[in-house]
Amino acid sequence: FTGSTNITGYLNIPVVTTLINLVEDSPAYSSTVTENIVTFNIDVQGAEVILGKMQVSWSPDDSENLNTIKIVGTVVYSNDGVASGTVVNIVPTTDLPTGISTINLYFNVGEDMSGKTLEVIFNPNSEEYYPVGFTIPAPLP
């Protein structure tokens, strides 16, 4: 067919809404001689998220600095340490697929982090940002 035809009617295009939810009871905390590690799972629902930046904030903010972020076992951020609330670039840009992903946050050794409030914002300062917050549990034995 090489001609053209006028078509009248309605075209329905579904809009996919993406949500990132904390997986219940997933936050865990452990401490070693050299670092504090906070681990949690997120559930991405809708469409995958292209992750370019993250912001991690914790309160109260004592002597901790965030050194490394791993997503599903891959290091996506590593530095000498940034303070609470700093926006960091994720390199390389990472796709958060639909379904469950594990996030590991590595902090320098400072105060015991259990009981602190942690908020992670995926893609802060963008139109589509996704906050996840929780209280850090007691350390694993």
Side-chain angles (χ1 to χ4, degrees), residues 38-95:
V38 176
T39 301
F40 61 99
N41 294 327
I42 56 170
D43 185 6
V44 178
Q45 299 172 358
E48 73 178 18
V49 173
I50 299 171
L51 182 61
K53 295 181 184 290
M54 281 177 69
Q55 181 178 25
V56 181
S57 303
W58 54 96
S59 177
D61 176 6
D62 294 318
S63 58
E64 304 87 13
N65 286 310
L66 177 63
N67 295 329
T68 304
I69 300 172
K70 285 185 182 178
I71 298 177
V72 191
T74 300
V75 173
V76 296
Y77 173 80
S78 184
N79 199 334
D80 290 336
V82 295
S84 176
T86 303
V87 175
V88 299
N89 292 317
I90 301 304
V91 178
T93 299
T94 300
D95 293 341

Side-chain angles (χ1 to χ4, degrees), residues 109-132:
V109 175
E111 300 292 321
D112 178 0
M113 294 186 73
S114 58
K116 292 183 183 230
T117 302
L118 188 101
E119 181 180 50
V120 178
I121 302 175
F122 299 91
N123 288 338
N125 306 324
S126 69
E127 251 182 62
E128 294 183 18
Y129 63 93
Y130 308 94
V132 172

Side-chain angles (χ1 to χ4, degrees), residues 6 10 22 34 42 81 97 105 107 141:
N6 291 332
Y10 295 95
L22 177 70
T34 58
I42 56 170
L105 306 175
F107 298 86

